[in-house]
Amino acid sequence: MKIETIAIHAGNKADKSSGAVIQPIVMSTTFERIADGSYPGGHIYSRSSNPNRTLLENVLAKLEHGVDAAAFSSGNAAGMAVFQSLKPGTHIILPDDMYHGLRNQIKTLFAGILEFDFIDINNTEILKQHIKPNTGLIWIETPSNPLLKLTDIKKVIGIAHERGIKVACDNTFATPVFQQPLVLGADLVMHSSTKYFGGHSDLMGGVLITPVKNEWWTKIKQVQEMGGAIPSPMDCYYLARSIKTLPYRMVGHAKNAQLLAEYLQKHPKVEAVMYPGLPVHPQHDIAKEQMLGFGGMLSVCIKGGEVEARRVINSLTLFTQATSLGGVESLIEHRASVEGPDTKTPFNLLRISVGLEHIDDLIADLEQALG
């Protein structure tokens, strides 16, 4: 089936007891055991599994061409489950510009438990130099947040797999609509489902998806069940509902982002635009090779430094100045000020989550703000 059909049907099941076309929300925390000791519905306790979460995990796995998925209460919880599943002393290689929430999680919570290096993964020689005998995982994020750098997924996987190292890919920005890392050979895919999967800035969630049920996946599922950082049945229901429109929303986000990037690239007060759909992007050829579309995220550097960037962002009326991304409304944020003292983000950079408003209105708002 095509991705539009998967999004609509793989997370939905008609209710046989009532005939309802849409699955009900099952709020029960526990499930009946019959006389022979079995559970006819296959569920025992909602921390372990729930009908709504089962349907959500089914559609998430199928969207990424995986065999199983594990849903979590946030993207950070999903990332943490990966790191918790590794043996103490495992060495991880991560991007030097990775999402600051997971970067800070690693540095704060796993110091003394795991070894880690934040490097320029796109530099093949640097990557090879940092591989150690105890390296167990290379974490990639492509496009990256907020610099929109791309990583050649196949190249990193080739280097990793010939050394017995696993590769996990944060696919939040691209979504499976525009990029499918498991098809390219990745061992694990992670998403903050708070973002484009939810799509309306009103749900929290995270997910991990695997191409194979192996020992590592069993450990991750144990972390999910025993740790209990799971989404509620209500959140699973609404997330599965949002996913039904994901393919069509992503087309709209990407169309608006491309037009906005092209407008900003020509503006005299703009220093640089970071968007993989622009031919001037340094990894545009990689984007064309491994992506099916260029996504709805872009970053822009404003001439005049931080002061001018802050003036612009504070002059906007249609763009909402807020953290997060992937909603139908356009959001903008001065990232360096929220990422902490070790940020790699330029202080004149504004990150934009391009929404589904009419592109003429978005351009008009930026035009008046840039002046």
Side-chain angles (χ1 to χ4, degrees), residues 6 26 33 60-61 73 86 152 166 201 238 244 255 272 291 298 309 341 371:
I6 292 170
V26 180
R33 179 167 48 202
L60 291 168
S73 54
L86 302 174
D152 188 326
K166 298 186 183 301
S201 302
Y238 280 114
K244 293 177 183 181
K255 180 181 178 182
M291 298 183 76
L298 63 89

Side-chain angles (χ1 to χ4, degrees), residues 87-253:
K87 294 179 180 179
T90 299
H91 176 243
I92 315 173
I93 297 174
L94 311 105
D96 55 6
D97 67 330
M98 77 181 292
Y99 166 58
H100 82 289
L102 285 177
R103 182 184 70 215
N104 292 341
Q105 180 191 106
I106 282 278
K107 292 169 65 176
T108 303
L109 300 182
F110 291 91
I113 300 172
L114 300 173
E115 295 181 30
F116 40 86
D117 282 310
F118 298 93
I119 66 165
D120 180 4
I121 288 179
N122 292 327
N123 187 315
T124 301
E125 291 308 310
I126 290 177
L127 175 59
K128 290 180 178 178
Q129 288 169 12
H130 281 82
I131 292 174
K132 302 178 180 180
N134 62 329
T135 302
L137 177 68
I138 298 175
W139 182 278
I140 60 177
E141 178 185 313
T142 180
S144 71
N145 179 7
L147 299 180
L148 278 297
K149 288 166 59 177
L150 271 72
T151 299
D152 188 326
I153 298 173
K154 284 185 177 180
K155 181 185 287 187
V156 172
I157 288 170
I159 293 169
H161 284 182
E162 68 181 12
R163 294 162 174 81
I165 300 168
K166 298 186 183 301
V167 175
C169 180
D170 183 341
N171 201 31
T172 299
F173 268 26
T175 80
V177 177
F178 292 143
Q179 187 169 263
Q180 296 167 357
L182 296 186
V183 175
L184 298 175
D187 300 288
L188 195 70
V189 165
M190 174 262 180
H191 288 271
S192 170
S193 47
T194 306
K195 311 304 192 292
Y196 285 110
F197 283 147
H200 297 79
S201 302
D202 56 6
L203 290 170
M204 292 286 289
V207 62
L208 299 172
I209 303 152
T210 183
V212 61
K213 293 183 180 181
N214 54 16
E215 184 180 351
W216 187 31
W217 183 248
T218 298
K219 185 70 173 180
I220 288 171
K221 291 290 284 186
Q222 288 173 339
V223 173
Q224 180 201 32
E225 178 181 351
M226 297 177 183
I230 53 166
S232 70
M234 188 79 73
D235 283 348
C236 292
Y237 170 87
Y238 280 114
L239 188 54
R241 187 181 75 162
S242 291
I243 286 171
K244 293 177 183 181
T245 61
L246 174 70
Y248 294 97
R249 284 189 284 108
M250 292 310 299
V251 170
H253 285 299

Side-chain angles (χ1 to χ4, degrees), residues 17-18 63 83 85 102 115 132 193 202 289 298 306 308-309:
S17 64
S18 66
L63 286 172
F83 307 137
S85 72
L102 285 177
E115 295 181 30
K132 302 178 180 180
S193 47
D202 56 6
E289 176 68 25
L298 63 89
E306 181 181 359
E308 182 64 10

